[in-house]
Amino acid sequence: MGDGCRIAWRCDGPEGAPVLLLSNSLGTTLDMWAPQMEAFVRNFRVLRYDSRGHGASDVPAGAYSIDRLGRDVIELLDSLGIARVHFCGLSKGGMVGQWLGFRAPERIGRLVLANTSPFMGPPPSWGQRIATVHAQGMAAVADGILDRWFTPSFQTCSKALVAPFRAMLLATNPHGYTGCCAAIRDMDMRPALPSIDLPTLVIAGNADPATPLEHAHDLANNIPGAHLHILAAAHLSNVEEPQGFARAVLEWFEYADP
């Protein structure tokens, strides 16, 4: 990237197909999209990447910003010679999607913003999380995060599906995690929403305590022409409702130009 940070990425699907770029949530890697890959690669060249500070990407020191995370995407596309993509981001990935829709709309065809928010606040709660992770590591926050990611019934009945996400979270570099926490803490995309002039689908979970339904309504009501689709899920709706999530995304892109 422009500041020397190496971003890990992977492409799957037929060459020459429209490119669908997937952007992951805080504390996960590009593997979070595994439940959708079989469906998505039928019609798309799917580009996934690990956010800076996550997975196999580099972990620069210090706080990150949404602007920096968004520019990582632009620079990745430039490095791969890709002019334009469809975009689907969940949670932090959806925040990056908002930035792209505002700052680089010429690079985006259609936009999916899932389980995300234009403003997370209040900053002290993020400061406390950052301090806890710095002092005690990812294990100190893992249980609370999983309770936001998945409903209690899903955690009880789908332990085999939850376990890889616990492992993914615990394997996240604490410095990378807190760097992205700072980006979320400092982000406020609310003034930009009316200027996002892209076909936009907002996906929400009806039991999402991290980005509740009112956050999804804020997005859908303030991005001109945006549509809202609600799934029966908590925060990682693509994991808890994999088929419903894939169907909503594919229907949104069905008649889209590449």
Side-chain angles (χ1 to χ4, degrees), residues 35-46:
Q36 281 70 53
M37 288 303 296
E38 182 179 356
F40 285 173
V41 297
R42 292 175 191 150
N43 297 299
F44 292 99
R45 181 75 166 164
V46 180

Side-chain angles (χ1 to χ4, degrees), residues 78-198:
D78 288 346
S79 72
L80 297 175
I82 300 173
R84 196 163 178 259
V85 298
H86 298 308
F87 183 94
C88 175
L90 190 147
S91 191
K92 175 177 60 62
M95 298 167 195
V96 172
Q98 294 168 60
W99 185 94
L100 292 168
F102 178 59
R103 292 291 186 186
E106 72 281 359
R107 308 301 295 269
I108 306 298
R110 288 192 166 211
L111 189 61
V112 177
L113 307 174
N115 300 86
T116 191
S117 174
F119 177 75
M120 287 296 290
S125 67
W126 288 95
Q128 181 178 8
R129 189 187 303 194
I130 289 169
T132 298
V133 171
H134 277 315
Q136 303 176 46
M138 295 302 301
V141 296
D143 287 342
I145 291 170
L146 288 167
D147 287 342
R148 290 190 290 276
W149 281 0
F150 304 113
T151 59
S153 60
F154 187 80
Q155 291 190 62
T156 299
C157 299
S158 302
K159 293 180 180 179
L161 297 177
V162 172
F165 283 86
R166 176 184 287 276
M168 201 182 297
L169 179 63
L170 291 173
T172 301
N173 186 294
H175 297 290
Y177 182 85
T178 57
C180 284
C181 283
I184 296 171
R185 176 196 65 197
D186 299 337
M187 173 205 68
D188 187 355
M189 292 298 299
R190 291 174 295 182
L193 298 183
S195 298
I196 297 178
D197 187 20
L198 293 170

Side-chain angles (χ1 to χ4, degrees), residues 8 23 43 59 65 105 130 183 186 204 217-218 223 234 252 255:
S23 186
N43 297 299
V59 185
S65 68
I130 289 169
D186 299 337
H217 284 292
D218 284 345
I223 297 174
W252 185 245
Y255 300 109

